[in-house]
Amino acid sequence: MPEISVHAIVLRRRDAGESDRRLTILTEELGKIDVTAKGARKAAARLAGISEPLSHAVLGIATGKKSAFVTQAQPMSAFRGLRSDFDRLTFGLALAELFAAVLPYDEPAPEAFELLGHSLEFIERNAKPVVAFIWAQVRLLELSGFLPQFDRCVVTDRLVSEVEPWLSPQAGGYVSDSEAGSFTDRFRARVEVLFGLSRIGEFEAPPENLKFATEAVAALLPFWRNIADMQLPANEAALRHLRQAAFD
């Protein structure tokens, strides 16, 4: 059984068998793949720590005809600043969920791996982690080819003019009042949210602040649902947390 070494970040885990964990990992060399960490659920198992979501490690992977197994692990980073702060951990897990949902399997993705690592570092240390979370989402949308058009109508190509413009995941972004009736999934958002989302991805790192950040997260989620075509519980939880915090 051939063995390779990969730089990996764990995106998600599931229980498998009596004591194993099935991991979805993003690797620099192979892209997104599924692997099994045998015995990782046992007490004091040597693979227990690296099988947690957001763990960063160099993994030895043995590949067979149908499955791949983790044979050894050298931890690189556990993003401890995320794990010690509920807000930051919430956004980190939500971001990992998006990478798991939209990236294809078995396609080398060094740019995606670099983006995820940098994004988790930004969420870990940024004064306002939600801004880093939004920045990372927009950069992932751009990298994966799904970036909505926020500043111009996707039908007429006219600049945003309404105070509360329409967005439509089906259309692929902003739609003017005259065109919005054609899209049943349309919803309203502040014009400031659209302007912020259209510009934040231009920065090489997250800005210090973003107006109406919670509303920006809420505006992005329907697009992710449309792209992924699946439930995104970690992102739903992140949005609920933001909305609850606004009332506390």
Side-chain angles (χ1 to χ4, degrees):
M1 183 179 293
E3 184 171 329
I4 58 174
S5 179
V6 298
H7 294 77
I9 298 175
V10 178
L11 300 179
R12 65 184 179 189
R13 73 173 199 196
R14 288 90 68 202
D15 290 345
E18 294 184 0
S19 60
D20 302 340
R21 282 178 176 163
R22 186 77 168 159
L23 309 179
T24 299
I25 60 176
L26 180 60
T27 75
E28 185 176 15
E29 298 82 1
L30 304 175
K32 186 179 75 173
I33 61 174
D34 283 342
V35 296
T36 298
K38 296 187 71 65
R41 288 158 53 205
K42 293 180 179 178
R46 62 186 180 86
L47 297 180
I50 63 90
S51 65
E52 295 292 337
L54 308 183
S55 294
H56 179 197
V58 176
L59 302 180
I61 305 293
T63 57
K65 291 183 179 180
K66 295 183 178 180
S67 302
F69 300 89
V70 180
T71 58
Q72 55 185 328
Q74 178 185 348
M76 301 294 290
S77 171
F79 299 104
R80 297 186 184 278
L82 296 179
R83 300 178 190 282
S84 61
D85 183 289
F86 182 78
D87 286 1
R88 297 175 196 277
L89 179 60
T90 296
F91 299 136
L93 292 173
L95 184 62
E97 180 180 69
L98 297 178
F99 274 77
V102 303
L103 292 180
Y105 276 99
D106 303 317
E107 292 186 13
E111 291 183 358
F113 181 83
E114 182 180 20
L115 175 60
L116 178 57
H118 287 329
S119 297
L120 293 174
E121 290 173 357
F122 287 136
I123 292 172
E124 184 177 33
R125 65 173 186 256
N126 210 54
K128 295 188 176 180
V130 65
V131 177
F133 177 47
I134 294 166
W135 175 87
Q137 289 189 65
V138 172
R139 295 297 289 262
L140 176 59
L141 285 165
E142 182 178 19
L143 181 65
S144 58
F146 294 114
L147 183 64
Q149 186 166 296
F150 292 116
D151 58 346
R152 290 179 177 272
C153 176
V154 296
V155 180
T156 66
D157 201 39
R158 294 177 182 172
L159 290 170
V160 177
S161 58
E162 299 89 350
V163 175
E164 290 191 345
W166 293 103
L167 286 173
S168 164
Q170 180 185 351
Y174 158 64
V175 286
S176 63
D177 279 346
S178 62
E179 305 295 335
S182 301
F183 302 99
T184 57
D185 66 343
R186 67 189 184 276
F187 62 94
R188 295 276 194 187
R190 293 179 191 260
V191 67
E192 294 92 341
V193 170
L194 271 67
F195 287 154
L197 291 174
S198 68
R199 295 171 183 169
I200 193 171
E202 298 172 2
F203 294 91
E204 290 302 311
E208 294 182 0
N209 198 13
L210 182 70
K211 290 184 178 179
F212 307 112
T214 297
E215 293 181 41
V217 173
L220 287 170
L221 184 53
F223 287 92
W224 286 118
R225 289 198 198 102
N226 184 64
I227 294 164
D229 192 26
M230 61 187 295
Q231 295 296 314
L232 299 168
N235 281 267
E236 298 279 2
L239 181 56
R240 286 196 302 271
H241 174 66
L242 284 169
R243 286 173 168 167
Q244 183 60 46
F247 290 101
D248 290 344

